[in-house]
Amino acid sequence: MYHLRVAETTGRRLRADAEHNTALILVAAEKVLADDPSASLERIGEAAGLTRATVHRRFSSRSALLEALTEQLNQRYLTALEQARADLGRPLVAFRRLTDVVFELKASHRFAMELSDEQHGCQSGLSPEVAAGLEQVFACMREAGEITATGADWCRHVYLAVLHQVHQLPEDAPDLVACGSSRADLVVRTVVGALGGVPRRP
Amino acid sequence: MYHLRVAETTGRRLRADAEHNTALILVAAEKVLADDPSASLERIGEAAGLTRATVHRRFSSRSALLEALTEQLNQRYLTALEQARADLGRPLVAFRRLTDVVFELKASHRFAMELSDEQHGCQSGLSPEVAAGLEQVFACMREAGEITATGADWCRHVYLAVLHQVHQLPEDAPDLVACGSSRADLVVRTVVGALGGVPRRP
DNA sequence: AACAGATGCGACAGCCATGTATCATTTACG
DNA sequence: CGTAAATGATACATGGCTGTCGCATCTGTT
């Protein structure tokens, strides 16, 4: 994971407690920044039970910390994609599985997800591997006739946008209840509808 | 519009040139902040051909300026909604018309739109009148059987999210070209698909 | 023309975040 | 146990943005 040189220029590895603390910092950063994206390193350290100085020792700068957060997110994404790849034969099932896991990511990595979304331009901050993995899922759905949209970026963006909206939908939203209160179900149906409705010409 | 007391506590009205300058500031603020949401008032003034001091004279604080920006956006929204209300009898036409105008808003008021979106919680920063106007459009579409989603917030959020994604789609995106390169068309079809696909139970 | 209003310029104070450094103390690890 | 590493505490320098003055100088308005 982060065994080697998080913010160190030397090749020495960190002591066990130090490594544990970097993990604490990442967790705290996610929690605090999700609430206030411009929170200071001081507040992050405090939330981790550490000092601002220590945060600086583990992460050479604020941006280094943010980088670490998105890298962490990309790792979890890859794990989720591997799970989905298992049943790529049934694209809708794979998509549903994927959405389930990504939803947990949204809950635990809200800030990092928005961070990689906000990345300027149309290039999301996602690693190329993750983007490719998502594209594969959508490609299978298209081949299976479940959707008709062809652009990989378009599919991914709509997916993430819908996911975001569903995430912050209140528990008792009528359209959520209509789906058996399963957020993942609502995402799947909405995305499939959005990406499948494109080519119908009136 | 802003004839009276933009940042003044006195009831006196502004001189003509001063009023013109507040307009310049608003335009410049939109342009600069769209590029960098955390740009300083100095840069905004510079973009308006004015001094930071003058910006402070017209808008008592940074947040006052942001408020003015969202208020301006809400005004334009209302105008767009009035145009759409014209042909509420044909909901899809009304929706299409609305989207056309809102798309121009997205181009000229990118920052303000994202600002009112980011507003914490599920309450967007839109004025109640605008929210109600949008709800009316979606309600008509639902009654006409074009969509099946029932939640007003849900419809609005999906609409704005899709709009945002389509807005930053490159000119040559395949799914855009498939719609005759009309962004508004792509929005309409995607949203209708997204909101209409909800209740289909597999 | 005269006056009030608006602006530019410069200066000042306050605030807060970042990044660096030092030193004493505690803790992990061989 | 002894050493090296990690941390807490504290201080310092830096830089940026904000908000507020005062003053000289144009410019609109009547």
Side-chain angles (χ1 to χ4, degrees), chain B residues 16-165:
Chain B
D17 53 346
E19 194 150 0
H20 177 239
N21 281 339
T22 69
L24 286 184
I25 293 175
L26 286 174
V27 173
E30 178 57 49
K31 188 197 302 275
V32 172
L33 293 176
D35 187 62
D36 173 15
S38 65
S40 69
L41 297 185
E42 176 116 41
R43 286 182 48 194
I44 293 177
E46 182 185 18
L50 300 171
T51 320
R52 183 172 70 95
T54 303
V55 178
H56 271 110
R57 287 189 186 104
R58 304 284 127 246
F59 301 94
S60 57
S61 73
R62 181 188 185 86
S63 66
L65 173 56
L66 300 189
E67 269 181 42
L69 280 176
T70 73
E71 186 197 321
Q72 193 189 41
L73 176 64
N74 277 322
Q75 294 295 339
R76 313 272 167 112
Y77 252 127
L78 285 180
T79 310
L81 281 167
E82 275 176 26
Q83 285 187 247
R85 232 187 285 270
D87 31 23
L88 256 183
R90 291 161 300 176
L92 268 190
V93 176
F95 187 49
R96 172 57 210 259
R97 268 193 199 291
L98 177 69
T99 301
D100 260 339
V101 184
V102 175
F103 235 109
E104 293 171 18
L105 283 190
K106 187 75 180 179
S108 59
H109 294 64
R110 183 151 54 100
F111 171 75
M113 287 195 87
E114 288 172 18
L115 183 63
S116 46
D117 261 5
E118 283 166 7
Q119 227 80 0
H120 34 341
C122 279
Q123 297 287 55
S124 59
L126 299 177
S127 77
E129 294 86 14
V130 173
L134 288 175
E135 178 171 0
Q136 191 179 7
V137 173
F138 286 114
C140 290
M141 290 176 67
R142 184 168 53 251
E143 282 172 20
E146 298 291 354
I147 64 175
T148 57
T150 55
D153 291 344
W154 170 240
C155 292
R156 190 179 68 248
H157 283 132
V158 168
Y159 178 46
L160 293 177
V162 168
L163 198 86
H164 182 69
Q165 296 304 329

Side-chain angles (χ1 to χ4, degrees), chain A residues 35-198:
Chain A
D35 186 62
D36 173 15
S38 66
S40 69
L41 298 185
E42 178 117 42
R43 284 183 50 194
I44 294 177
E46 182 186 17
L50 300 172
T51 320
R52 183 173 70 93
T54 303
V55 178
H56 271 110
R57 288 190 186 102
R58 304 284 126 244
F59 301 94
S60 58
S61 73
R62 180 188 186 85
S63 65
L65 173 57
L66 300 189
E67 270 182 42
L69 279 177
T70 73
E71 187 197 320
Q72 192 190 40
L73 176 64
N74 277 322
Q75 294 295 338
R76 312 272 168 110
Y77 252 127
L78 285 181
T79 311
L81 282 166
E82 276 177 25
Q83 284 187 248
R85 232 187 285 270
D87 30 22
L88 256 184
R90 291 160 300 175
L92 269 190
V93 176
F95 187 49
R96 170 59 211 259
R97 268 194 200 291
L98 177 68
T99 301
D100 261 340
V101 184
V102 175
F103 235 109
E104 293 170 17
L105 283 189
K106 188 76 181 177
S108 59
H109 295 66
R110 183 151 55 100
F111 172 75
M113 286 195 88
E114 289 174 17
L115 183 62
S116 47
D117 260 7
E118 283 166 6
Q119 227 80 0
H120 34 339
C122 279
Q123 298 288 56
S124 60
L126 298 177
S127 78
E129 294 86 13
V130 173
L134 287 174
E135 177 172 0
Q136 191 178 7
V137 173
F138 285 114
C140 289
M141 289 176 67
R142 185 169 52 251
E143 282 172 21
E146 298 290 354
I147 65 175
T148 57
T150 55
D153 291 345
W154 170 240
C155 292
R156 189 179 69 247
H157 283 132
V158 168
Y159 178 46
L160 293 177
V162 169
L163 198 86
H164 181 68
Q165 297 304 329
V166 171
H167 176 73
Q168 51 187 36
L169 214 52
E171 194 85 30
D172 59 340
D175 298 285
L176 183 52
V177 174
C179 271
S181 293
S182 159
R183 293 180 189 267
D185 273 347
L186 182 55
V187 170
V188 170
R189 293 176 192 186
T190 304
V191 170
V192 169
L195 298 181
V198 172

Side-chain angles (χ1 to χ4, degrees), chain A residues 2-8 14 22 57-60 64 68:
Chain A
Y2 300 93
H3 295 298
L4 315 171
R5 301 165 298 127
V6 171
E8 318 289 331
L14 294 173
T22 70
R57 288 190 186 102
R58 304 284 126 244
F59 301 94
S60 58

